[in-house]
């Protein structure tokens, strides 16, 4: 039943083990949160899953296919969508064109030279914008969007190739509280309706506790704990690194919000 | 909207040009168009233009040609053959000139040669040296005034053979003129002196000479004599490094064009000494016609003439003589007139040879020296261009064009 | 042995002047990120100013103080240029300052010609250092040793400056992280000015110090600038020590190249630069990210839109206007406009990779001239008819671009630019050197249109149809999925890869397509002029294209058309003035300062002012409504 199998992932930068022997699995239709303090290795982990950096050792198998050694564009073609911690969109295009571009690529038409791109897959793109509630902004230039809208747009782009796996690096960073909730609600709906698997990192513990099915806690590049929300909450090691003892999760949340 | 406004910009700019154009042609003048590197090589083209203006004024003071005044229109070629062709197109199609003259750079001269042949316009190539202008690329409509690379190399080879040096090295800028000069010199010297040996050749980039390294490399070849084709700033650096490192101490140097004031004068007291070179000792020529010319030039411009001045002067004389002989501004008549045309220049008669359209204008060969802090030529003699051209049979082989 | 040592010292001496100029450029780039092509002009100014000073200041003291005074004078001129020309445009899109520095080159050229006259000046000898010393039996000029010592002193002084003084440490910090310096409370404006003074000072010293080895002439500026860029790129942008090592490397290679391979002088340093950039893109001592530009978010281009009805009408009107040209009275116009159309196509082809693809090629003339040479060679050797040659030329040029692009698209920013320049220079020197095939600098002559098109008006229509066709094809390409993908790689290569776009392949094919279109322009050019020479492959031609694109405005598809048209007409109009370069330079600088978006941007701005005016007078309430929203 495991859809994504990560085994023994390690990567060092100049002698420092940024990620050290990390293993975990992700089932179909599961929402797994990757949490941990700053510098725990979350983003490094993400980059290795997505082919941006190559691990020193370890393996990442998606539905039986090895991802290590593949380039991001190849991993995308296997049905993996990604959103970035710092948004990356095509700033000289409209909102809709950003999604159209992803749809064009999904259809293997990035080298197409016989038709205009302007109206290609516009309807499908509009449908995706509908999902994230941005149909009204379809023809606005991307560079005038608010940050939260950019985050949502990234989700629409990631959905363009009907992903089986979504990798979301701090999807709600920089958003206001209501926006966060609605974005994560949206994500949870996708997981439920489409059976998509989601791996996401997040600082906002409210979001994490409310939506994730399972948690994976990283600290100093190693897996510290793993389990359900309740299990992780109760884990003294997690309390230790997050709180240094004493205070509650609520304070942790405000620290990072 | 952006695209739309861009298009407006183009339209407006074009309209401005259309408005500025006036097609009116004065009927009482005959126009001559000169294309030259007026901004890129001002040190050469300014005296050239002066020479043209002097001849123009003299001719017009005498009543002009065919009852009309001559008018000169000059265009800058910006050192680019493509720009030169555009200038020619403008001169013929907008200004209505009867002929074009000019070019200092060989590539500009060749582009105009090709243009003249195709569009059937007369082109008097006043200054470019490339042999191809009259030989391999020669055509019915192109004539050349100044002695070519081959002729100047032949004059030097002739003089060099008398020195009887065995081991020769060459240094020339790495482009067509340099290669052509070295090739001609080697061939002609070997003909005159079969036991000669060429022991090294250096090819610095034009105006990018690494003089120290070149001098060392030449010295390492241990030549008895050196054939130099570098000029301008390359030559100045070469001379300074060579003097400093003692390269010229026991070595004969023969050198293309170095005795011309254009190249000699900027070097002042550092001009090379005792080189065998082609040039133009305007200060020492005692012929009456030339003395008159120098006096008139000095009076008009308050400056002394360079070789370019004389070439410019003779160019206008040529144009006037051709117009007079043809009796009209019709190109065919002019071309007919140019073939075998003889003109009286300050240095005597010059003939435009029917066989290859090269004029017989000569050059001076002598030794360089420094006097009063200035480079001069001594022990010079005038070499008539007619004596330094290949035989007619050879010329026919070199020139595929039928006439 | 003696010979070897003597050559080694000659190389070191040559490296001296080169290092002085290169270190200045490297410092300026490192801190301000301005690619200052006018740096060679500062060097030339140094030579001229020092010449004048030395002829007035007698003796050894006069000589050495003249060098220092020259440095200060040139430093002040550099400061002036920075304040007047560059300060207003620091926030403009990347590489835009480049165009302003082209303008500065032209202005300084003519200013020097005006002040010092056109004749070459021979430098005075250094008092007390006019002779030679014997080293291993070889004569080595003493002034060579002085130059070597001077370069080492400057290297040491710069090291001390950057490590031992506060301003130096700040400059070094700024090279690595500009925001951090701002955070430290340093006045960035003052820092940039100080850096410009220092860089120009070094260039001035370089020009002055080389006087005893040569002199001052008007070709010095462009002659040294390419060598200096090669040095800075090989050494690593922003690295002083790298500039020093690269100066030595290049100079020694040149010196031994002269000895062992005399014909190599044209191309050697470009081959070395190409190899180093392919193997180690950041240069020998550069940091990988030193030359990566952070795009300016204030300058994001607007989304493309297909031409609306108004746009189509205007396009049709322009074509109709162009079709009408041969019927106008002045016969010269067909030639002028055929040149303009050819340059528009050339500029549009560069804009395709530069504006849409974000790849600033400094060697685009290789494909323009390359196409011209393909056509000319086909006609010359295979008697190919014009029609076929015009079809094959872009294929040849595109193929050339495909090969060169394969190496280049691995790099980005300034390093991409310099690698394209290096390859273009290699192509140029192959054409110059291979005389038996290409005719060398004497070119290939008599390449004229087929008989049916030999009438200038008929050939003009050939140029119009093919040229407009090419421009329309480039425009249409920008609107295809491929064009969008290319724009995507420019906007965010991270995002592009993440949605499955093969970034390098898209860039490579775009590079080849742009090369092919430039080749098409070149083929038209060769038949229009009847001959082709290596000048069409030279660096200056590549820069013409860059100026036209930036001049017109990088961010709109109409930009290159407007830029090429205005630039060509302006040049044609100004070239009857003696000091046309000065006027052109001032015009370029004026456009750059007035509008960071080029001519098209300028038109937009005036358009907006017009809108506001109408709004203010109440004649157009709708505009007011739009603006309020």
């Amino acid at each position: 039943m495991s859809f994504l199998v990560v085994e023994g992932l390690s990567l060092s930068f100049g002698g420092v083990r940024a990620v050290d022997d990390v293993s975990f699995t992700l089932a179909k239709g599961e929402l797994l949160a990757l949490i941990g303090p700053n510098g725990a290795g979350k983003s490094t982990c993400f980059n290795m899953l997505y082919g941006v950096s190559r691990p020193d050792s370890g393996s990442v198998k998606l539905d039986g296919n090895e991802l290590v050694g593949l380039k991001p564009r190849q991993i995308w073609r296997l049905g993996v969508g990604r959103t970035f911690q710092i948004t990356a969109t095509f700033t000289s295009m409209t909102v809709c064109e950003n999604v159209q571009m992803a749809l064009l690529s999904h259809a293997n038409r990035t080298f197409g030279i016989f038709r205009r791109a302007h109206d290609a897959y516009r309807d499908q793109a509009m449908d995706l914008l509908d999902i994230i509630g941005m149909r009204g902004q379809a023809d606005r230039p991307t560079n005038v969007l608010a940050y939260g809208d950019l985050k949502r747009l990234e989700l629409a782009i990631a959905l363009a190739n009907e992903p089986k796996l979504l990798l979301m690096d701090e999807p709600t960073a920089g958003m206001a509280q209501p926006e966060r909730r609605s974005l994560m609600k949206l994500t949870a709906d996708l997981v439920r309706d489409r059976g998509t698997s989601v791996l996401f990192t997040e600082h906002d513990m409210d979001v994490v506790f409310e939506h994730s099915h399972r948690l994976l806690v990283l600290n100093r590049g190693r897996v510290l704990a793993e389990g359900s929300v309740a299990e992780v909450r109760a884990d003294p090691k997690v309390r230790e690194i997050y709180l240094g003892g004493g205070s509650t999760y609520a304070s942790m949340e405000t620290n990072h919000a | 909207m952006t695209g739309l406004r861009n298009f407006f910009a183009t339209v407006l700019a074009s309209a401005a040009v259309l408005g500025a154009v006036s097609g009116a042609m004065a009927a009482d003048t005959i126009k001559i168009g000169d294309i030259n590197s007026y901004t890129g090589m001002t040190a050469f083209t300014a005296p050239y233009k002066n020479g043209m203006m002097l001849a123009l004024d003299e001719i017009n003071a005498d009543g002009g040609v065919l009852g009309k005044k001559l008018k000169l229109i000059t265009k800058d070629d910006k050192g680019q053959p493509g720009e030169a062709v555009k200038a020619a197109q403008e001169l013929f199609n907008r200004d209505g000139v009867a002929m074009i003259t000019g070019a200092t750079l060989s590539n500009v001269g060749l582009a105009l040669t090709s243009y003249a042949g195709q569009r059937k316009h007369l082109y008097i190539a006043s200054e470019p040296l490339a042999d191809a202008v009259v030989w391999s690329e020669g055509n019915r409509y192109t004539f050349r005034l100044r002695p070519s690379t081959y002729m100047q190399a032949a004059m030097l080879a002739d003089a060099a053979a008398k020195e009887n040096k065995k081991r020769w090295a060459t240094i020339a800028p790495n482009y067509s003129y340099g290669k052509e000069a070295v090739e001609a010199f080697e061939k002609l010297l070997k003909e005159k002196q079969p036991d000669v040996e060429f022991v090294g050749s250096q090819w610095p980039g034009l105006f990018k000479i690494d003089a120290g390294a070149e001098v060392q490399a030449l010295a390492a070849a241990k030549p008895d004599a050196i054939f130099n084709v570098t000029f301008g700033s390359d030559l100045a650096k070469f001379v300074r490094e060579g003097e400093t490192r003692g390269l010229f101490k026991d070595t004969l140097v023969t050198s293309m064009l170095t005795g011309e004031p254009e190249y000699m004068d900027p070097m002042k007291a550092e001009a090379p000494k005792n080189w065998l070179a082609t040039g133009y000792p305007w200060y020492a020529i005692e012929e009456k016609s030339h003395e008159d010319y120098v006096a008139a030039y000095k009076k008009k411009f308050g400056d002394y003439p360079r070789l370019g001045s004389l070439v410019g002067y003779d160019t206008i004389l040529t144009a006037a003589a051709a117009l007079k002989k043809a009796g009209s501004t019709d190109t065919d008549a002019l071309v007919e007139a140019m073939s075998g045309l003889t003109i009286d220049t300050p240095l005597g008669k010059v003939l435009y040879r029917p066989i290859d359209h090269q004029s017989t204008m000569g050059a001076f060969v002598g030794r360089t020296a420094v006097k009063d802090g200035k480079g001069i030529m001594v022990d010079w003699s005038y070499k008539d261009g007619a004596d330094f051209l290949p035989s007619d049979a050879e010329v026919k082989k070199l020139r595929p064009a039928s006439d | 042995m003696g010979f070897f040592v003597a050559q080694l010292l000659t190389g070191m001496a040559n490296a001296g002047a080169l290092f002085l100029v290169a270190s200045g450029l490297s410092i300026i780039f490192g801190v301000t990120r301005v690619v200052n092509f006018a740096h060679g002009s500062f060097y030339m100014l140094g030579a001229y100013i020092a010449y004048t000073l030395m002829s007035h200041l007698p003796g050894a003291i006069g000589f050495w103080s003249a060098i220092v005074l020259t440095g200060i004078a040139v430093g002040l001129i550099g400061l002036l240029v920075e304040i007047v020309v560059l300060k207003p445009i620091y926030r403009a899109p990347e590489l835009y300052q480049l165009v302003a520095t082209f303008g500065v080159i032209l202005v300084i050229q003519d200013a020097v010609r005006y002040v010092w006259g056109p004749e070459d000046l021979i430098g005075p000898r250094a008092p007390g250092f006019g002779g030679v010393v014997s080293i291993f039996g070889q004569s080595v000029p003493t002034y060579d040793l002085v130059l070597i010592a001077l370069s080492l002193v400057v290297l040491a002084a710069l090291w001390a400056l950057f490590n031992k003084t506060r301003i130096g440490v700040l400059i070094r910090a700024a090279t690595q992280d500009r925001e951090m310096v701002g955070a430290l409370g340093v006045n960035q404006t003052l820092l940039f000015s100080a850096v410009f003074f220092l860089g120009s000072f070094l260039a001035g010293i370089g020009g002055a110090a080389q006087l005893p080895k040569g002199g001052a002439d008007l070709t010095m500026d462009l002659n040294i600038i390419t060598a200096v860029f090669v040095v800075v790129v090989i050494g690593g942008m922003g690295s002083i020590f790298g500039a020093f090592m690269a100066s030595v490397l290049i100079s020694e290679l040149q010196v031994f190249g002269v000895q062992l391979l005399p014909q190599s002088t044209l191309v050697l340093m470009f081959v070395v630069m190409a190899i180093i950039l392919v193997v180690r893109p950041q240069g020998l001592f550069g940091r990988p990210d030193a030359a990566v530009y952070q795009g300016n978010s204030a300058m994001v281009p607007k989304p493309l839109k297909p031409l609306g009805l108004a746009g189509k009408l205007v396009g049709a009107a322009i074509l109709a206007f162009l079709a009408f040209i041969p019927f106008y009275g002045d016969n010269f116009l067909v030639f002028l406009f055929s040149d303009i159309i050819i340059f528009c196509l050339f500029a549009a082809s560069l804009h395709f990779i530069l504006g849409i693809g974000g790849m600033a090629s400094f060697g685009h003339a290789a494909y323009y001239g390359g196409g011209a040479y393909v056509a000319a060679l086909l006609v010359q050797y295979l008697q190919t008819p014009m029609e076929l040659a015009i079809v094959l030329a872009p294929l040849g040029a595109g193929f050339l671009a495909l090969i060169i692009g394969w190496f280049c698209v691995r790099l980005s920013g300034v390093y991409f630019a310099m690698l394209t320049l290096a390859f273009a220079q290699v192509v140029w020197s192959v054409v110059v050197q291979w005389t038996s095939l290409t005719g060398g600098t004497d070119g290939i002559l008599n390449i004229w249109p087929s008989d049916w098109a030999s009438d200038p008006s008929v050939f003009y229509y050939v140029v119009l149809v093919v040229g407009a066709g090419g421009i329309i094809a480039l425009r249409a390409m920008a609107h295809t999925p491929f064009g969008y993908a290319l724009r995507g790689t420019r906007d965010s290569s991270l995002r592009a890869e993440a949605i499955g776009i093969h970034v390098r392949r898209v860039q490579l094919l775009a590079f080849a397509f742009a090369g092919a279109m430039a080749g098409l322009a070149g083929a038209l050019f060769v038949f229009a002029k009847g001959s082709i020479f290596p000048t069409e492959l030279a660096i200056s031609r590549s820069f013409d294209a860059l100026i036209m694109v930036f001049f017109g405005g990088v961010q709109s598809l109409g930009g290159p058309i407007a830029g090429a048209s205005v630039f060509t007409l302006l040049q044609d109009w100004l070239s009857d003035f003696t000091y046309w370069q000065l006027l052109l330079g001032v015009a370029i600088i004026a456009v750059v300062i007035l509008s960071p978006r080029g001519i098209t941007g300028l038109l937009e701005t005036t358009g907006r002012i017009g809108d506001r005016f109408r709004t203010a007078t109440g004649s157009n309430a709708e505009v007011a409504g739009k603006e309020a929203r």
Side-chain angles (χ1 to χ4, degrees), chain A residues 128-200:
Chain A
L128 285 169
L129 289 179
D130 254 344
I131 295 175
I132 58 160
M134 283 183 70
R135 179 183 267 270
Q137 306 198 53
D139 292 319
R140 294 187 75 193
T142 313
N143 64 324
V144 301
L145 291 188
Y147 196 69
D149 288 343
L150 281 175
K151 285 274 183 190
R152 285 196 286 160
L153 174 58
E154 281 216 321
L155 182 57
I157 293 171
L159 291 177
N161 69 333
E162 294 157 21
K164 291 174 265 183
L165 171 66
L166 266 179
L167 301 175
M168 302 171 80
D169 201 356
E170 301 205 12
T172 68
M175 284 183 168
Q177 191 61 256
E179 266 189 306
R180 291 182 183 196
R181 284 172 184 277
S182 73
L183 184 81
M184 283 321 289
K185 169 95 175 33
L186 187 65
T187 311
D189 290 348
L190 288 169
V191 170
R192 192 187 59 230
D193 301 343
R194 302 188 174 195
T196 313
S197 311
V198 175
L199 177 69
F200 73 108

Side-chain angles (χ1 to χ4, degrees), chain B residues 46-62:
Chain B
Y48 168 82
K49 191 173 174 181
N50 285 347
M52 296 188 102
M53 296 313 292
L54 179 62
L56 210 64
D57 287 357
E58 288 177 1
I59 290 165
N60 284 341
D62 265 3

Side-chain angles (χ1 to χ4, degrees), chain A residues 10-222:
Chain A
S10 300
L11 180 62
S12 307
F13 294 117
V16 179
R17 298 210 130 198
V19 172
D20 189 3
D21 196 25
V22 168
S23 304
F24 62 91
T25 62
L26 179 63
K28 268 218 161 75
E30 189 179 28
L31 236 167
L32 176 64
L34 191 59
I35 63 168
N38 282 330
K42 301 185 300 278
S43 287
T44 312
C45 226
F46 254 70
N47 285 339
M48 283 191 284
L49 296 187
Y50 208 69
V52 176
S53 9
R54 199 191 164 103
D56 295 337
S57 61
S59 112
V60 179
K61 282 208 167 69
L62 179 78
D63 228 359
N65 296 312
E66 180 61 60
L67 298 190
V68 171
L70 296 186
K71 297 200 157 55
R73 62 168 187 277
Q74 294 166 318
I75 293 174
W76 187 79
R77 298 227 171 267
L78 292 173
V80 183
R82 164 150 198 197
T83 69
F84 292 95
Q85 188 179 351
I86 300 164
T87 57
T89 55
F90 301 137
T91 44
S92 76
M93 298 184 197
T94 63
V95 169
C96 191
E97 283 170 343
N98 265 276
V99 184
Q100 284 171 271
M101 196 65 244
L103 288 164
L104 278 165
S105 178
H106 181 50
N108 266 319
R109 282 184 51 197
T110 49
F111 293 98
I113 56 169
F114 296 110
R115 281 197 49 200
R116 281 213 170 145
H118 184 67
D119 38 20
Y121 300 105
R122 191 173 160 86
D123 296 343
Q124 289 97 314
M126 282 303 207
D127 292 345
L128 285 169
L129 289 179
D130 254 344
I131 295 175
I132 58 160
M134 283 183 70
R135 179 183 267 270
Q137 306 198 53
D139 292 319
R140 294 187 75 193
T142 313
N143 64 324
V144 301
L145 291 188
Y147 196 69
D149 288 343
L150 281 175
K151 285 274 183 190
R152 285 196 286 160
L153 174 58
E154 281 216 321
L155 182 57
I157 293 171
L159 291 177
N161 69 333
E162 294 157 21
K164 291 174 265 183
L165 171 66
L166 266 179
L167 301 175
M168 302 171 80
D169 201 356
E170 301 205 12
T172 68
M175 284 183 168
Q177 191 61 256
E179 266 189 306
R180 291 182 183 196
R181 284 172 184 277
S182 73
L183 184 81
M184 283 321 289
K185 169 95 175 33
L186 187 65
T187 311
D189 290 348
L190 288 169
V191 170
R192 192 187 59 230
D193 301 343
R194 302 188 174 195
T196 313
S197 311
V198 175
L199 177 69
F200 73 108
T201 66
E202 187 55 65
H203 276 303
D204 185 337
M205 287 306 139
D206 267 358
V207 168
V208 170
F209 292 152
E210 188 178 338
H211 293 289
S212 55
H213 302 158
R214 209 149 56 84
L215 270 72
L216 187 71
V217 187
L218 281 189
N219 187 36
R220 296 183 185 184
R222 302 186 72 101

Side-chain angles (χ1 to χ4, degrees), chain B residues 6-7 18 21 39 80 86 93-94 114 119 137 176 179 202-203 207 210 216-217 240-241 244-245 266, chain C residues 10 14 113 122-123 132 144 212-213 223 258-259 265 318 330 333 335 339 441-442 446 454 541 558 600:
Chain B
N6 303 341
F7 284 128
L18 287 175
V21 167
T39 46
Q80 295 170 15
K86 184 169 149 200
N93 292 290
R94 179 177 282 177
S114 174
R119 292 278 158 230
E137 301 293 342
S176 298
K179 290 176 189 174
Q202 292 304 129
W203 301 98
F207 299 144
D210 186 347
Q216 294 233 57
R240 176 160 291 184
E241 283 290 333
T244 308
R245 296 180 192 237
Chain C
T10 303
N14 292 345
R113 192 198 315 277
I122 307 293
V132 291
D144 278 17
K213 300 278 287 177
N223 272 347
V258 160
Q259 173 64 22
T265 49
I318 289 173
D330 184 348
L333 284 185
F335 299 106
D339 276 11
T441 49
D442 278 353
N446 296 315
S454 67
R541 188 63 76 239
T600 53

Side-chain angles (χ1 to χ4, degrees), chain B residues 165-245:
Chain B
K165 301 280 186 187
K166 294 282 183 293
R167 291 171 63 85
W168 281 82
T170 62
I171 177 165
N174 193 0
Y175 79 111
S176 298
Y177 162 64
K179 290 176 189 174
E180 215 166 72
V182 168
E183 197 180 323
F185 183 82
E186 285 190 5
K187 173 174 168 284
L188 292 166
L189 187 62
K190 272 181 188 155
E191 277 171 18
K192 291 183 196 300
Q193 192 190 335
D195 63 344
V196 76
E197 200 187 339
F198 283 89
V199 293
S201 58
Q202 292 304 129
W203 301 98
L206 180 61
F207 299 144
K208 289 181 185 150
I209 195 168
D210 186 347
E214 300 286 358
V215 165
Q216 294 233 57
L218 281 176
K222 298 196 182 358
D224 306 329
I226 295 167
F227 176 63
N228 166 63
V229 195
T230 66
F231 57 90
S233 58
D234 286 344
L235 177 63
K237 289 176 188 159
F238 177 57
V239 170
R240 176 160 291 184
E241 283 290 333
E243 290 284 352
T244 308
R245 296 180 192 237

